[in-house]
Each structure stands twice: as structure tokens, then as C-alpha cells.
Amino acid sequence: MSLFRFAAPPEFYRLAGKAVPAFGVVSGLLAAIGLYLGFFVAPTDAQQGEVYRIMFVHVPAAWMAMFIYLVMAFWAALGFILNTRISAVMANALAPTGALMAFLALWTGALWGRPAWGTYWDWDARMTSTLILLFLYMGFMALHGAIEDVRRADRAAGLLALVGVVNVPIIYFSVQWWNSLHQGSSISLGRAPSIAAPMLAAMLVMLFAFWAYCIAATLTRARAIVLERERDAEWVRASLAISQ
Amino acid sequence: MSWNSWQDFWSMGGHGGYVWGAYGMVALVILAEAASVVARLARARARHRRRAAR
């Protein structure tokens, strides 16, 4: 009995199936609370008026885009070290959701940037490195899709994921390292938040809603990938026979 | 509460297009992705069932 038991596809498939509805429900509830806080409790911003409310989806999307990349690289690294089948499944399941989060961070950022700074886009460090993050996710998926042999595809794409991980601290620290249109972070460790409490509450609740959603989406995709990779396993037949 | 009416709410201080454009895209992407992963899992299960039935 060890943790490795959960890395076996049948056990993973079963447990993930139980976890997904819970994360889905939690995500929906948190999103309802977060949107209520964000639109009806958080006050009008003294400088930006109402448009700052884009923050409640922009910041969670940007954080998840970076965080999912780290998790994806972690699974890729684990795949190289331990060679468990589930690591590559997880890395592959995370990439599309990470790409969508990076896209949403850029999209919501553009729509916030236009009224706040007068431009949708600027080739500054924060925005450019976030665009590179989106390209890394897309590169990971394209590379994996281009190699027919799945084991080789896992290794090649995993290597790309590991190399690309240097981009994440660049995004995170870009606003300190370079002059940027982008404002500094509103909250960071060891320092009091620089935004009002109801704004912070709305942002954090939305962050957890995004987090729970991303877990539900990636676990569902991971279950699909497990089935796609298990061509003819006995356990799949047994599991499909007892469940709906 | 910052709103005196629904009209006031939807206009977002004159920046409604930006705010709702951002939230609308988030909603669209999340609903589309959720539907697509659920469909992908259902397809994978159906393939296994067909193979088992043969």
C-alpha cells in the first residue's frame, strides 16, 4: 500500500470520477459568491471607477495560467523520474486548460488595459511573457500531437514543458524587473494587501472558484485520456459495466 | 452597493462594453471547455463499450 497505488490508471480513474462532481459544485458556489461580492459588495474604485471589476476574473485567470504551468512541469518532471503512466496523462490534461487561462488573462487584460491605459496591448515584459506562456502551452500540445508514438510524444512534450518553466518567474517578477505599464501585484507575501478588503475577498473567492473549476476540468480530461490510452484493459470493461 | 438601477449596473460607469466583454468571454470559454471535456469522456467510454460488445 503506497501512494503509487493511486498512480495506477484504474484507481486514478475511479477516484477522479468521485472528485470531479465535488469540485464542480464547489466551483459553482464560489463563483456565485465571488460575483456577488465583486459586483454588489466591492465599492467603486476611487481611481478607475467600475472598470476595475475586470480584476475579479483577470487576476484568477492569470494566476491559474502560471500555476497550471508549474503543475504541468511538475508532472512532466515526475514522468521523467518515476516513469509513471499517470504523469504524462496529467501533463496532457493540464495543457489545454492552462492555455485557455492564459488566453483569458490576455483577453481580460486587453479589455481592462484599453480604458485604464489607453491601449489594448503593449509589448512590455508582463504582457509579452504571458503571450509566450500561451505559446508554450500551444507548443506543448502541437508537439505532442505531431509525434505518433505516445511514449515518445510524452517525453518530447515533457521536455518542452520543463524548459519553458523558466518563463513563469519571468512573468511573475516582470513588473519589478522592468518598467511596465502593468501595475505591481495587489497582494504578495509579507506585505499588507494594497486593495480594500471587499475587493480582496471577491478576488480570492473568484480565485478559488477558478481553481476548483480547473481541477474539475483537468480531471475529467485526464479520465478521458486514460480511457483513450487503455486500448483493451479488463478494468475498463469492469468499470464501465458497474458505473453509468 | 454602487448601483441605483439595473441600467446603472449594466452600463458599469460607461465601461459596460469592456467589463461585459471580459466576463462574457470568461463564461463562454469555461462553458465551452466544460462541454468539450464531458463530451470527450463520453466518446472514450462509448468506444470502449462498442469494443466490449464486439
Side-chain angles (χ1 to χ4, degrees):
Chain A
M1 171 60 209
S2 75
L3 264 181
F4 286 97
R5 198 164 68 87
F6 300 111
E11 197 66 5
F12 171 83
Y13 182 85
R14 198 177 63 80
L15 285 173
K18 289 203 169 131
V20 164
F23 281 109
V25 169
V26 166
S27 172
L29 289 176
L30 288 177
I33 297 169
L35 290 172
Y36 174 75
L37 290 175
F39 282 105
F40 297 103
V41 178
T44 305
D45 186 72
Q47 285 162 27
Q48 293 202 19
E50 309 299 349
V51 79
Y52 91 92
R53 293 179 202 276
I54 291 176
M55 176 176 81
F56 305 131
V57 282
H58 174 72
V59 174
W63 279 11
M64 291 317 299
M66 287 189 282
F67 180 64
I68 288 175
Y69 197 93
L70 293 181
V71 179
M72 184 177 92
F74 165 80
W75 283 111
L78 215 60
F80 282 113
I81 299 165
L82 299 176
N83 217 10
T84 51
R85 274 183 292 173
I86 215 68
S87 338
V89 170
M90 282 308 294
N92 275 287
L94 284 158
T97 300
L100 288 174
M101 290 296 139
F103 165 73
L104 288 178
L106 292 167
W107 176 273
T108 57
L111 286 176
W112 191 4
R114 177 69 192 173
W117 308 323
T119 181
Y120 288 107
W121 179 259
D122 183 44
W123 290 101
D124 87 337
R126 168 71 46 105
M127 291 162 233
T128 308
S129 54
T130 304
L131 185 64
I132 291 172
L133 181 70
L134 175 61
F135 290 160
L136 282 170
Y137 280 124
M138 288 163 54
F140 177 94
M141 292 185 277
L143 183 59
H144 197 281
I147 301 173
E148 196 140 356
D149 180 66
V150 174
R151 306 284 293 183
R152 282 187 56 217
D154 286 344
R155 276 198 294 273
L159 193 62
L160 175 66
L162 282 179
V163 172
V165 87
V166 295
N167 187 48
V168 175
I170 292 178
I171 302 174
Y172 189 80
F173 293 110
S174 57
V175 285
Q176 295 166 31
W177 290 348
W178 291 282
N179 282 322
S180 174
L181 265 186
H182 199 285
Q183 67 194 69
S185 46
S186 305
I187 46 175
S188 57
L189 294 174
R191 184 164 65 75
S194 59
I195 54 175
M199 297 181 185
L200 180 65
M203 195 174 84
L204 288 179
V205 172
M206 288 302 281
L207 174 68
F208 289 121
F210 270 64
W211 200 332
Y213 165 76
C214 288
I215 293 173
T218 51
L219 285 182
T220 304
R221 190 181 289 111
R223 295 182 84 209
I225 297 174
V226 164
L227 290 190
E228 288 160 8
R229 289 185 172 201
E230 298 279 336
R231 289 250 157 247
D232 233 345
E234 192 57 46
W235 72 264
V236 176
R237 234 168 283 155
S239 141
L240 288 179
I242 52 170
S243 65
Q244 66 289 358
Chain B
M1 172 97 76
S2 324
W3 326 107
N4 298 314
S5 65
W6 279 109
Q7 199 185 351
D8 202 18
F9 175 74
W10 293 119
S11 89
M12 281 287 140
H15 288 125
Y18 299 109
V19 174
W20 303 122
Y23 278 81
M25 182 58 86
V26 171
L28 194 73
V29 163
I30 284 179
L31 290 177
E33 190 199 17
S36 114
V37 292
V38 167
R40 182 170 173 182
L41 180 58
R43 276 198 306 276
R45 294 167 72 99
R47 251 197 314 274
H48 276 280
R49 264 203 210 91
R50 274 200 303 277
R51 206 173 289 140
R54 243 184 272 135

